[in-house]
Amino acid sequence: MEDIKKHLQTKWLGKTIVYETAMSSTNTVAKEYGKKNVMERQEKSIHGTLFYTLKQTAGKGRRGRNWISPEGNCYFSVLLEPEIQAIHISRVTLVMAMAVAQAIQNVTGVETQIKWPNDIVVKGKKICGILTEGSSGSDGLEYVIVGVGINANQQLFTEEIRDMATSIRKETGEVVNREQLLAQCLNVFEGLYEQFAKTEDFSALQRDYNGRLVNYNREVRILDEEEWTGVALGIDETGALQVRTAEGEMRTILSGEVSVRGLYGYV
Ligand code: BTN
């Protein structure tokens, strides 16, 4: 905890920290905290509260998957009370992806890329996942939780995911200071989020995001109602992925499973 505070250079993010050595899931704890705050109509703003733990016993991944969370990696969630429309919350995930990608690179020197929408990838393997959850009430969006799991110091991966996942320690051979890394994620996120919140779109961030996009100009396989392939041409101002089909038609992908040829075992 002291290392987080020591490295934190934010104005409003992470000023309140909820920390336990173990949590079920930082997202779940953050959600309960947000719910309690709404129910009790507390005056104090919870915007920017950080939830941090050393290991999770019920870590959650996207699409209802588990996020196995042994000690040594970096698990945190930030709670936001954004003044944005509920339909735009998935965009906050992309902002966090940019922040984490930059932060990992700043702190460790490891070159990072982003797999749309929100995996951080190093040499074709996943190093971080992000799960955003929101809660809306009758007055619109109440709060948003952005949860981040970075494979920091994990050295062993099960056979099932060995070809798809890596950690910073595996890439550099050095132990990572998780709290310094976390603080750096928040330092970068605060600035990017402020830029994003002005317009609620990616007009200011699109170029940087596309510069890191591992999908850029590569064949992708999309699974929506049917399965089809195309070439990804980056995100547009809304954060949606632009894909050109083999017939030259441009399609806009708002969500869904996107596999990139050459990544995570897609050959
Ligand atoms: C994914 O499936 O890629 C998203 C994984 C998100 C994991 C993080 S770890 C911290 C936070 N708490 C959770 O339970 N999940 C997120």
Side-chain angles (χ1 to χ4, degrees):
M1 280 264 284
E2 282 320 302
D3 263 357
I4 298 180
K5 292 184 186 150
K6 194 166 87 191
H7 291 101
L8 207 58
Q9 291 158 355
T10 54
K11 291 182 293 221
W12 50 266
L13 185 57
K15 295 295 173 188
T16 304
I17 303 178
V18 177
Y19 167 75
E20 303 274 351
T21 49
M23 282 184 190
S24 53
S25 143
T26 54
N27 270 34
T28 306
V29 173
K31 219 190 273 181
E32 283 159 8
Y33 191 91
K35 205 191 296 173
K36 190 162 176 276
N37 189 275
V38 170
M39 272 166 43
E40 294 174 2
R41 294 178 188 280
Q42 286 170 6
E43 289 293 302
K44 192 171 161 262
S45 168
I46 51 172
H47 184 60
T49 306
L50 170 69
F51 298 81
Y52 171 54
T53 192
L54 303 182
K55 66 172 180 188
Q56 300 183 119
T57 50
K60 298 185 292 185
R62 293 174 73 213
R63 301 177 186 278
R65 296 182 190 125
N66 295 328
W67 187 260
I68 310 293
S69 310
E71 200 159 344
N73 290 336
C74 187
Y75 312 106
F76 68 92
S77 301
V78 294
L79 181 55
L80 305 171
E81 292 182 296
E83 288 164 2
I84 62 171
Q85 295 178 58
I87 52 161
H88 292 160
I89 68 165
S90 62
R91 298 183 184 179
V92 179
T93 320
L94 276 72
V95 179
M96 183 59 92
M98 285 181 73
V100 177
Q102 282 182 29
I104 293 177
Q105 203 157 333
N106 293 348
V107 171
T108 68
V110 170
E111 205 171 304
T112 55
Q113 290 185 295
I114 300 171
K115 175 182 171 287
W116 185 89
N118 56 355
D119 284 357
I120 313 300
V121 170
V122 171
K123 294 198 192 128
K125 293 182 177 180
K126 180 162 171 170
I127 209 157
C128 167
I130 301 171
L131 177 68
T132 298
E133 299 180 271
S135 167
S136 300
S138 49
D139 294 339
L141 193 58
E142 288 170 335
Y143 52 86
V144 172
I145 291 140
V146 192
V148 179
I150 306 173
N151 297 338
N153 292 311
Q154 188 166 346
Q155 286 181 287
L156 299 173
F157 290 87
T158 57
E159 209 180 316
E160 204 188 329
I161 60 166
R162 199 166 295 152
D163 293 337
M164 293 186 262
T166 188
S167 70
I168 297 171
R169 180 157 183 196
K170 269 189 91 174
E171 296 301 320
T172 61
E174 282 167 30
V175 175
V176 188
N177 180 333
R178 286 167 293 180
E179 298 184 342
Q180 181 188 2
L181 178 63
L182 193 168
Q184 184 62 13
C185 289
L186 301 192
N187 292 342
V188 182
F189 179 76
E190 187 180 89
L192 295 179
Y193 177 79
E194 283 178 354
Q195 265 181 293
F196 160 77
K198 280 186 206 152
T199 55
E200 293 189 30
D201 69 17
F202 287 90
S203 37
L205 307 175
Q206 184 183 8
R207 237 178 103 171
D208 282 355
Y209 186 96
N210 284 337
R212 277 193 199 268
L213 194 64
V214 70
N215 316 49
Y216 201 77
N217 252 334
R218 286 174 68 173
E219 184 178 308
V220 289
R221 185 171 54 195
I222 316 286
L223 192 62
D224 37 37
E225 290 101 61
E226 29 142 28
E227 194 178 299
W228 54 279
T229 57
V231 174
L233 299 176
I235 59 161
D236 62 15
E237 286 198 355
T238 71
L241 189 68
Q242 301 294 308
V243 179
R244 190 180 57 227
T245 67
E247 293 74 38
E249 181 199 342
M250 290 298 293
R251 291 192 189 171
T252 299
I253 314 300
L254 300 173
S255 65
E257 284 289 271
V258 177
S259 311
V260 182
R261 189 179 278 278
L263 224 68
Y264 302 0
Y266 168 26
V267 284

